[in-house]
């Protein structure tokens, strides 16, 4: 799932951490996934390096940096389950609304001010730090802009590449880059890289309209999973 997400099917990756957390401690699960995400980012960024939106990155990345710091500093006082449930509910409602407007043929493009993007960047940073679940808040601001397919994928790849590197000091501080965790990451890496290339191949063969429809469906599925994890 994480590989397909990094290859361009944004949204699927948010399911990886909850599934891994079914078997091991959630903090350890997130630490195991982080090195894999960083290596996968290389594939996604290289494949779509010429197609990205500077405006989106300029507004969202500073907010994401603030969100990562908040997620690290206040994790003890803000229940992660409550954050994930709220993000999941918003994601489900947004995805359903976008599918409804497209089905009725209503205009869906929207360009809210850049400072709104910074606020969504903060939320994306918080949820990414807590559970690598930064995609839904990111998509809430970026998808309504209706970027061309390859530009959306390239912008997403660059954004989360930067976000994942910003999370490294926090996980170092938590002492989670242990030998056992890194060996587990290394064991999972070959499959992750192969599926990332598979995601890139698939994205370039799916029409832009179907691509956006699939993303909205995935947002609803991911949102439902986050709500389930938050209330369970």
């Amino acid at each position: 799932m994480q590989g397909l997400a990094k290859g361009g099917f944004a949204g699927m990756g948010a399911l990886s951490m909850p599934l891994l957390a079914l078997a091991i401690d959630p903090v350890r699960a997130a630490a195991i996934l982080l090195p894999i995400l960083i290596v996968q980012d290389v594939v996604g960024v290289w494949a779509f390096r010429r197609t990205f939106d500077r405006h989106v990155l300029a507004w969202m990345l500073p907010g994401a940096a603030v969100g990562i710091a908040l997620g690290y500093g206040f994790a003890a006082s803000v229940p992660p389950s409550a954050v994930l449930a709220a993000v999941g509910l918003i994601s489900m409602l947004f995805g359903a609304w976008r599918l409804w407007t497209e089905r009725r043929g209503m205009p869906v493009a929207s360009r809210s001010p850049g400072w709104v993007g910074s606020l969504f960047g903060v939320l994306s940073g918080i949820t990414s730090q807590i559970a690598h679940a930064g995609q839904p808040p990111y998509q809430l601001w970026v998808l309504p802009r209706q970027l061309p397919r390859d530009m959306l994928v390239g912008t997403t790849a660059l954004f989360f590449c930067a976000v994942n590197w910003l999370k490294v000091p926090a996980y170092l501080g938590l002492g989670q880059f242990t030998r056992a965790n890194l060996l587990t990451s290394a064991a999972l890496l070959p499959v992750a890289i192969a599926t990332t290339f598979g995601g890139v191949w698939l994205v370039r063969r799916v029409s832009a309209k179907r691509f956006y429809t699939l993303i909205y469906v995935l947002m609803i599925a991911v949102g439902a999973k986050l709500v389930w994890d938050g209330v369970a």
Side-chain angles (χ1 to χ4, degrees):
M1 289 183 182
Q2 199 62 253
L4 290 174
K6 287 296 182 182
F9 287 100
M12 294 186 73
L15 294 173
S16 300
M17 219 288 287
L19 290 175
L20 188 57
L22 293 175
I24 60 177
D25 173 76
V27 176
R28 187 187 175 203
I32 288 171
L33 282 177
L34 185 55
I36 297 173
L37 297 176
I38 289 173
V39 175
Q40 287 177 312
D41 287 333
V42 175
V43 179
V45 169
W46 176 258
F48 296 95
R49 64 191 180 280
R50 294 187 178 90
T51 53
F52 60 91
D53 190 303
R54 290 178 174 82
H55 177 79
V56 169
L57 295 176
W59 280 105
M60 293 204 78
L61 278 175
V66 173
I68 290 168
L70 291 174
Y72 173 71
F74 297 101
S77 58
V78 179
S81 59
V83 175
L84 294 182
V87 171
L89 181 60
I90 293 171
S91 178
M92 290 174 63
L93 292 174
F94 176 81
W97 173 68
R98 300 298 285 189
L99 288 174
W100 182 75
T101 54
E102 285 195 348
R103 184 179 178 83
R104 292 176 61 87
M106 299 169 63
V108 296
S110 175
R111 294 183 179 273
S112 56
W115 63 267
V116 176
S118 294
L119 295 179
F120 278 108
V122 172
L123 186 55
S124 181
I126 292 173
T127 54
S128 186
Q129 172 62 31
I130 291 173
H132 300 320
Q135 284 278 2
Y138 168 85
Q139 292 170 335
L140 286 173
W141 190 64
V142 176
L143 290 186
R145 305 182 71 81
Q146 291 288 288
L147 300 176
R149 180 196 58 201
D150 286 3
M151 184 169 287
L152 171 64
V153 176
T155 305
T156 303
L158 280 168
F159 176 80
F160 284 101
C161 178
V163 165
N164 286 330
W165 276 105
L166 287 170
K167 290 187 288 191
V168 169
Y171 281 92
L172 279 171
L174 293 171
Q176 286 296 319
F177 289 141
T178 63
R179 183 174 182 273
N181 286 351
L182 291 175
L183 285 174
T184 304
S185 300
L188 295 171
L189 191 57
V191 175
I193 292 176
T195 54
T196 301
F197 280 110
V200 171
W201 183 85
L202 285 171
V203 161
R204 287 175 169 165
R205 284 158 179 79
V206 176
S207 71
K209 181 175 179 8
R210 289 184 178 179
F211 176 77
Y212 269 94
T213 299
L214 179 57
I215 293 298
Y216 298 143
V217 171
L218 288 173
M219 284 190 73
I220 296 172
V222 170
K225 175 59 178 170
L226 292 177
V227 171
W228 176 266
D229 290 340
V231 301

